[in-house]
């Protein structure tokens, strides 16, 4: 689902975003990586420079976080919770938090917000974490939820029952997505949500959507893995000062075994004495993509956090880049 935007359209979008009060800048470092920044709101976490106050979307591999354009720090690796429910979900989240995971991703459509909220409250009561140490993302779905966004947003907050939500996303584009996004903006103003963003938005959708809203999304979450890399989309999003997060980083249901067994990835894993999953997740991080691999296995959850004791060479990164098939593993 690759979307290409014309130069004129891109410039028009950037001007529109700037006109909304969010000044976007983009620079390219010596290695060719895109570094982005935007004018920060008063009172946000920021870096002071002689030219003004900016928030830069750069990964910090020491703190394992990235600064969002909303002024909040986002952990760059976390746990995806799609398709896990009940005690399995509660145990997976608590295991992740015990292993140092500080980012939990869920959605109304996953049907597990209550379990995730319970796991977080139990972890707080047991002294595993404090609320301010973790970052929780949830989403509202197209259709009836976006037709009644205020009610749907509040329902997510009530089901999670953890006070505020760190980030809320619109799960997919929808006829009512602009109105739903504006409802999320109001919840931010009311202090119930800290940051907002989008999921499954690509170049064409973003180009149409962004000029219609006042707040530049802090994050866009899309399917990204070695067989579906979306490099043009990643570049486009990051160039707007928006952080990119990848779901299905290990290929998704029915495809994980093939991806983990890919000879190129397996050979790189052997060279670093790590797993293929760790190689893929590290590849994402070095591309500037936040990862949320899903698992309910405590050993796999822990392994998926151990990504910072090795790094991939430029040659290894290029070898994985060459695996791109444009092969999407889900419909959206």
């Amino acid at each position: 689902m690759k979307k290409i935007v014309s130069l004129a359209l891109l410039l028009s979008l950037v001007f529109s975003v700037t006109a909304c009060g969010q000044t976007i800048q983009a620079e390219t470092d010596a290695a060719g990586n895109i570094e982005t920044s935007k004018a920060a709101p008063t009172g946000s976490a920021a870096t002071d420079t002689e030219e003004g106050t900016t928030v830069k979307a750069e990964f910090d591999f020491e703190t394992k976080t990235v600064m969002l354009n909303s002024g909040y720090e986002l952990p760059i690796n976390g746990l995806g919770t799609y398709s896990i429910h009940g005690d399995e979900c509660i145990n997976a989240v608590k295991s992740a938090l015990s292993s140092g995971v500080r980012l939990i991703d869920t959605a109304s459509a996953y049907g597990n917000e209550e379990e995730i909220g319970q796991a977080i409250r139990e972890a707080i009561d047991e002294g595993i974490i404090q609320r301010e140490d973790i970052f929780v993302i949830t989403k509202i779905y197209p259709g009836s939820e976006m037709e009644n966004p205020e009610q749907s947003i509040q329902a997510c907050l009530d089901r999670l029952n953890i006070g505020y939500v760190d980030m809320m996303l619109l799960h997919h584009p929808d006829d009512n997505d602009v109105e739903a996004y504006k409802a999320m903006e109001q919840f931010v103003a009311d202090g119930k949500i800290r940051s907002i963003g989008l999921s499954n938005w690509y170049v064409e959708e973003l180009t149409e959507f962004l000029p219609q809203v006042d707040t530049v999304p802090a994050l866009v979450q899309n399917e990204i893995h070695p067989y579906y890399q979306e490099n043009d989309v990643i570049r486009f999003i990051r160039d707007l000062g928006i952080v990119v997060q990848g779901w299905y980083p290990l290929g998704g249901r029915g495809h994980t075994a093939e991806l983990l067994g890919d000879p190129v990835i397996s050979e790189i894993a052997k060279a670093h004495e790590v797993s293929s999953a760790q190689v893929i997740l590290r590849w994402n991080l070095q591309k500037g993509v936040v990862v949320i691999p899903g698992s309910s296995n405590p050993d796999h959850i822990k392994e998926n956090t151990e990504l910072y004791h090795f790094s991939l060479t430029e040659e290894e990164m290029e070898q994985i880049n060459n695996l791109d098939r444009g092969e999407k593993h889900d419909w959206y």
Side-chain angles (χ1 to χ4, degrees):
M1 186 176 175
K2 301 219 172 172
K3 308 287 175 121
I4 305 300
V5 66
S6 69
L7 178 59
L9 197 54
L10 173 57
L11 290 174
S12 174
L13 171 60
V14 172
F15 290 149
S16 297
V17 171
T18 303
C20 291
Q22 310 259 4
T23 303
I24 305 294
Q25 298 177 320
E27 299 176 354
T28 303
D29 64 17
N33 298 316
I34 296 174
E35 299 179 356
T36 55
S37 63
K38 77 168 191 66
T42 303
S44 68
T47 301
D48 291 322
T49 68
E50 293 181 0
E51 298 178 355
T53 303
T54 61
V55 176
K56 296 184 177 181
E58 301 174 5
F59 282 16
D60 186 328
F61 283 85
E62 292 187 6
T63 64
K64 305 171 186 176
T65 62
V66 60
M67 182 65 74
L68 298 169
N69 62 24
S70 58
Y72 292 97
E73 286 188 331
L74 171 75
I76 58 177
N77 70 278
L79 177 72
T81 63
Y82 176 61
S83 79
I84 56 174
H85 302 90
D87 288 341
E88 181 184 37
C89 180
I90 293 169
N91 294 334
V93 172
K94 291 182 70 175
S95 176
L97 296 174
S98 296
S99 295
V101 171
R102 294 296 178 261
L103 168 62
I104 306 295
D105 178 82
T106 184
S108 173
Y110 297 173
N112 60 13
E113 288 172 309
E114 291 182 357
E115 293 102 309
I116 286 168
Q118 179 180 336
I120 290 170
R121 292 192 302 274
E122 289 182 6
I124 292 172
D125 290 343
E126 295 168 17
I128 297 172
I129 54 158
Q130 296 181 341
R131 174 63 184 92
E132 59 269 26
D133 296 332
I134 62 171
F135 197 107
V136 179
I137 299 175
T138 192
K139 316 172 191 75
I140 63 170
Y141 205 73
S144 61
E145 290 194 353
M146 290 195 197
E147 287 176 1
N148 302 284
E150 292 85 2
Q151 177 182 333
S152 303
I153 293 166
Q154 187 59 52
C156 290
L157 291 166
D158 293 342
R159 286 190 293 267
L160 283 165
N161 190 23
I162 53 174
Y164 60 91
V165 167
D166 297 274
M167 178 177 286
M168 185 167 285
L169 311 178
L170 301 184
H171 209 144
H172 298 280
D174 182 73
D175 290 342
N176 297 303
D177 52 23
V178 172
E179 288 71 22
Y181 193 86
K182 290 180 177 179
M184 294 198 304
E185 289 178 321
Q186 185 58 51
F187 273 76
V188 171
D190 294 341
K192 296 181 179 181
I193 298 173
R194 291 190 166 180
S195 303
I196 55 179
L198 306 167
S199 182
N200 304 302
W201 251 262
Y202 297 84
V203 173
E204 183 177 303
E205 293 88 348
L206 286 166
T207 302
E208 178 182 355
F209 181 86
L210 292 180
Q212 302 181 69
V213 299
D214 294 327
T215 305
V216 177
L219 177 142
V220 173
Q221 181 188 106
N222 288 336
E223 178 179 347
I224 299 170
H225 49 77
Y227 291 164
Y228 188 74
Q229 298 186 19
E230 287 293 294
N231 292 310
D232 55 335
V233 180
I234 293 172
R235 188 177 302 109
F236 178 85
I237 294 170
R238 293 191 65 203
D239 208 14
L240 292 173
I242 302 169
V243 170
V244 179
Q245 187 176 73
W247 54 265
Y248 275 1
L250 302 179
R253 295 170 300 166
H255 301 278
T256 301
E258 179 188 8
L259 186 56
L260 295 184
D262 187 284
V264 171
I265 294 171
S266 298
E267 190 64 27
I268 294 172
K270 182 178 179 182
H272 290 278
E273 298 183 338
V274 296
S275 70
S276 291
Q278 287 171 305
V279 167
I280 294 168
L281 297 175
R282 179 71 194 198
W283 168 80
N284 273 278
L285 295 181
Q286 289 184 211
K287 287 165 65 71
V289 176
V290 176
V291 290
I292 46 169
S295 179
S296 60
N297 182 308
D299 291 335
H300 291 166
I301 291 171
K302 186 174 188 302
E303 178 184 289
N304 291 342
T305 70
E306 297 169 343
L307 310 173
Y308 303 95
H309 63 290
F310 73 103
S311 62
L312 303 179
T313 66
E314 290 185 9
E315 181 181 357
E316 289 168 337
M317 290 291 292
E318 187 61 27
Q319 287 177 328
I320 301 175
N321 290 344
N322 290 335
L323 297 177
D324 192 9
R325 303 174 179 175
E327 183 179 285
K328 210 170 192 315
H329 291 165
D330 222 320
W331 64 268
Y332 39 77

